[in-house]
Each structure stands twice: as structure tokens, then as C-alpha cells.
Amino acid sequence: MTWGAEQQGQGYEGGYGSGYGHDAGYGYGGGYGQAPAYGYDSGNGLPYVGPVPYDQPVTYERPTSNGRPVSYEEPVPYGQPTPYEEPGPYVPEPEEPAPAETEAEPVPDPAPSLSPGTGTGKAGGRDRYFDALRAVALVRVVTYHTFGWAWAGLVFPSMGVMFALAGTLMARSLERPALAVVRGRLRRLLPPFWFWGLFVVLAMLVHGWMPGWQIVFWIVPVGDPPGDRWGVQAWEILWYLRTYLWFVLLSPLLLRIFRRAPVPVLLLSLVPIVVFQYGWQPSYDRFGSALTDLATYLFCWLLGFAHREGVLQRLRPAAVVLGSAAALAYGAWYAFAHQADFGTYDLDENPLAQAFWSAGFVTPLMYFKAYHDVDFARLARVGRLDRVVRVFNARAVTIYLWHEIALILAVPLIDRFWDVPAFEKWLPLESQWFMFGVGWVLIGAAVLLFGWVEDVAARKGPRLLP
């Protein structure tokens, strides 16, 4: 099969279409049949009939982070994530012994953390409350990418949750020299990214992609790595790694500013996204996309700082409830009131709505942790579930990077099932839920085959499962 244009769709006897934004997803609108009929839907009503010869420039339109179309010539940078939301198990830096109690960080930051106050639910140096949030966020990302439900971001804004958890852990790590912290983050993030990128880049080259100088962003993704239409479904999720990387680089300065006036800085962090929507709008290039994403999730990152620094504990519950309700109300109103502008109420297509809804949703989660020191200690009593949560956190980078490829491969695999009469009769091959299950089986295979790269990046012995 081929991977088509951004927001591609591919179907069997009816096809499935998709609409991508941050944390983008795709769904199957028709169902599977024995005679596959491949087609592509740009997600904004623009059909694509391919493939496109590799020696000719490709120009197509797709929605940008603020919903307006923009034309690109190959190599195509991804504009605005979808997600997903930060991996990994805690691995101590060689420069300093690990603290007694640590937390894993969401995709893609496997760094140490201590939350204010120590609960009784930390097992193996991990905080089960944060681990559970991270696992739910990853499941929601895969679910959204399978079904494309526009309401999924309203139920659980995974990206906002993961950026908040990453901010908490980054603030904890910055108790050590900033240069060592940044170097450690890069060491843990880049090897899994390079390993995954080797497969994607080689596949695109085999299918005729001709990269330019922008291929350097496949080495250090401070900008959106380029790619072609064939592989867009695999590489467009990298917006999240790019945004995370910039937050890591800026965190020493951001934390210093935050400590001067924590609450005012936290509230003012929503101003940039408001300015971008109503005033000056960033350009549609790599710089503009990165700037928009940073503004969208800046509040959530600083909210992590507020949790680590003990700021949330000092806030009155009434103030937190009223502020969160106001942010949720404004984010929901803006999303539904501007459906015509963005073509959907999906938060991933609407940066301003995403910023306010994520702020209002994540604040109570972090406040609940800080104020009540909740730790989900009872999770340890459910051994298998606790084990699954731990694996999700230890292999979060692998799950995030490989989940789209797993969902892509699930389509031709299910197509082969139609050739087996017993499978055709007894298995729900036309169901999206069946494809969802097959996708998770392939994600599990990726964890077993490639998860060891995270161990090597963390300077640990490679393991089949953590």
C-alpha cells in the first residue's frame, strides 16, 4: 500500500477518510472488502490522485495550524499534535546519583522528577498518578488516530497533559546545571528518533523522495523534518518532538522568569496565542509552525513548573475551580463558534481553543496532585494493570513514534485476512474496532522489537520489556 497525502484516506469498498491536525487521526468511513479501492481525501475536500512522479515538484493545499490552507512544495514540512503527548522511564544521569523517589516523564522525556510532598504510592521510584495520566494520554492518541473522533480532544486533551507532566519533570531536573540537563534530554530523545527515522527516510527515498538541505532536521528536529506525500502519515507526528525539544532548550530561561512572579507569568502565558489569533499571525513556514505550537502549550508547560515549585499548593480551591471553568468555557465556545472557519470543532485544528481548553482541563489534574498529594497507591493492587501502566511509561517514546506506522500496516494486513474464508466469516474485518485491535498488536510488536533503543539511549542494558 502507499501512504498518501496529508490527511490521507485509504479504504476498502468505500474507503476511509481522515482529517489531520495536531494529534491527527484517521478513520475508516466505508469498511473493508475483498476488492480494495484506494483513494485519498485531503481532509479539507481536496482529492488527491497519485502517485506523483518523484522528479516533479508537488504542490498541494492542506490546513495549517490556524485552519487556513497553504500551498507547499516538496519537501513538505508539517505545519502543526497532533500529541500525543512524552516517554519514558527514569534513568539517572551519570553525573549524579538518582534521587530516592522519581517519576517517569511523558513522551519524550525519560528524566527524573520529585513532586512536592511524598505519597505512599510510589513503587520502583515512580509516581503512579503521573504514570496513569501518561498511559491514558497515549491510549487516547492511538484511539484518535484510529477513529478520528473530533470530540476526543474535549474528553481528554492528551497533548496538554503530557506537556504539563514534562514541565514538572524539567523543573525538577533543572535543580542541576542546565547544560547537563539539556544534554541528558537530547541523549535520551535523539537515538530512538534516529532509529525510527532511518526506516521512514529510507522508505521515502525508495519511493522517489528527493530531499533538500532540510534533511538536517532529521538529525536534530528543531524544525519540522521534511518528507513527501507518501510518508506523511508517519512523519507528521514529529511536530510534538520538535515542540518538546524547544521547550527543553528554553526551560532554563523560562524557569528563571517564572520564579520571579509565578502566578502572573502563568496567567500571561496565554497571551501569545491570543495575539496570534487576533493580531499578528505567524507565517506558515517551519518557524511560524513552531511558534504557534509553543504558544499553544506554553501554559501547560509552565503549569508543570507551578506544580514542581509548590505554587499550586498555595492557591485557593475556589480560585482554581473558577479559573479552570472560565478557561474551559472560553475554549469550548471558541471551538464551536468557529466551526465554519476551521471546518470542525476538533481542538487539534484550532490552536486558541486548544490552548484554553487544555489549560482549563489540565489545571485541576495538577492541582489535585499538588494539593492532595494523590498517588494512586491502589493501582499496585491490580498487578496486571499496574504492569501495563509501567510498560507504557517505560516505552512511551517507542509507542508514540511507531503507533502511526502500526496503524498503517494494519490496513494491508487486514486485507489479507479477507483471503481466508474462516476469517472472513467469523472476524469483524470491516470494523474499525478490529483495526484498532490489530494496530495495538503491531504496536506491541514494535515495543518488543525496537523498545531496547530507549534502554541504550538511557545508558542501560537493552531489555525486551522493562
Side-chain angles (χ1 to χ4, degrees):
M1 66 174 290
T2 59
W3 302 336
E6 178 172 322
Q7 302 150 41
Q8 79 172 32
Q10 174 177 353
Y12 295 76
E13 290 189 355
Y16 65 86
S18 64
Y20 280 91
H22 276 340
D23 195 6
Y26 56 88
Y28 297 73
Y32 299 98
Q34 284 183 295
Y38 293 88
Y40 298 87
D41 179 3
S42 67
N44 58 2
L46 299 177
Y48 163 71
V49 179
V52 178
Y54 74 89
D55 58 345
Q56 298 181 13
V58 176
T59 302
Y60 65 98
E61 288 191 343
R62 64 177 179 82
T64 61
S65 59
N66 61 5
R68 296 187 297 175
V70 57
S71 296
Y72 279 85
E73 255 192 18
E74 284 195 52
V76 183
Y78 173 62
Q80 176 175 342
T82 118
Y84 95 136
E85 269 175 75
E86 299 263 17
Y90 161 60
V91 179
E93 290 283 354
E95 296 87 357
E96 174 181 337
E101 296 176 345
T102 59
E103 296 169 1
E105 181 165 351
V107 182
D109 194 1
S113 174
L114 279 172
S115 58
T118 58
T120 60
K122 297 188 172 58
R126 308 182 68 92
D127 186 297
R128 288 191 177 92
Y129 180 79
F130 283 170
D131 280 1
L133 288 179
R134 189 173 305 113
V136 172
L138 286 170
V139 171
R140 208 283 289 164
V141 167
V142 178
T143 303
Y144 178 80
H145 285 175
T146 304
F147 298 96
W149 292 327
W151 47 264
L154 295 170
V155 173
F156 194 86
S158 293
M159 296 298 125
V161 170
M162 293 197 295
F163 278 119
L165 298 180
T168 292
L169 301 179
M170 192 65 189
R172 165 64 180 93
S173 297
L174 285 173
E175 294 176 1
R176 297 183 290 110
L179 184 60
V181 173
V182 173
R183 185 174 64 247
R185 291 294 192 277
L186 292 175
R187 175 170 54 79
R188 291 178 174 90
L189 170 65
L190 293 181
F193 165 68
W194 291 335
F195 184 84
W196 173 86
L198 180 64
F199 288 87
V200 177
V201 170
L202 286 178
M204 291 191 297
L205 290 174
V206 169
H207 284 79
W209 179 48
M210 298 294 291
W213 67 267
Q214 297 93 341
I215 198 173
V216 298
F217 293 118
W218 280 99
I219 301 175
V220 181
V222 291
D224 293 313
D228 63 3
R229 291 184 178 185
W230 183 85
V232 65
Q233 189 171 318
W235 57 256
E236 71 169 355
I237 63 172
L238 296 178
W239 74 268
Y240 178 71
L241 272 68
R242 178 255 293 154
T243 305
Y244 168 82
L245 184 58
W246 273 111
F247 273 132
V248 167
L249 296 175
L250 294 172
S251 280
L253 176 61
L254 289 175
L255 185 58
R256 186 171 299 181
I257 296 173
F258 177 81
R259 285 172 172 169
R260 291 180 178 272
V263 175
V265 170
L266 183 62
L267 296 177
L268 289 174
S269 64
L270 288 170
V271 171
I273 193 63
V274 175
V275 172
F276 290 170
Q277 185 61 45
Y278 292 106
W280 175 74
Q281 295 184 346
S283 58
Y284 301 137
D285 55 14
R286 284 182 173 85
F287 174 77
S289 298
L291 206 57
T292 300
D293 293 337
L294 286 171
T296 301
Y297 296 102
L298 178 60
F299 180 94
C300 292
W301 189 269
L302 296 183
L303 187 65
F305 287 1
H307 171 267
R308 173 59 201 172
E309 296 291 303
V311 175
L312 295 180
Q313 291 174 308
R314 300 193 294 268
L315 298 179
R316 295 179 179 273
V320 174
V321 171
L322 290 176
S324 298
L328 287 171
Y330 181 75
W333 169 81
Y334 193 87
F336 285 97
H338 293 79
Q339 290 188 67
D341 298 334
F342 297 95
T344 178
Y345 62 87
D346 193 332
L347 298 180
D348 293 331
E349 302 292 344
N350 190 328
L352 183 64
Q354 177 76 272
F356 276 87
W357 183 267
S358 295
F361 191 98
V362 179
T363 297
L365 294 179
M366 302 298 287
Y367 181 75
F368 186 58
K369 169 65 178 176
Y371 194 78
H372 297 286
D373 195 23
V374 62
D375 49 40
F376 279 13
R378 294 184 178 180
L379 184 62
R381 302 177 185 176
V382 188
R384 292 184 179 179
L385 179 60
D386 190 42
R387 173 65 171 161
V388 169
V389 170
R390 292 172 64 184
V391 170
F392 264 68
N393 282 267
R395 293 291 184 257
V397 177
T398 302
I399 293 173
Y400 183 78
L401 286 175
W402 289 92
H403 80 275
E404 279 281 27
I405 294 180
L407 293 174
I408 292 168
L409 294 178
V411 175
L413 179 59
I414 294 174
D415 187 34
R416 301 283 72 81
F417 288 179
W418 287 98
D419 298 331
V420 180
F423 289 172
E424 180 182 0
K425 180 177 181 180
W426 297 109
L427 295 180
L429 301 181
E430 74 287 349
S431 171
Q432 288 180 266
W433 287 100
F434 184 76
M435 194 274 293
F436 183 63
V438 173
W440 275 111
V441 171
L442 295 177
I443 291 171
V447 168
L448 295 175
L449 292 174
F450 312 127
W452 58 269
V453 180
E454 294 191 58
D455 295 328
V456 173
R459 296 179 178 175
K460 298 173 59 179
R463 297 172 295 172
L464 191 66
L465 277 179

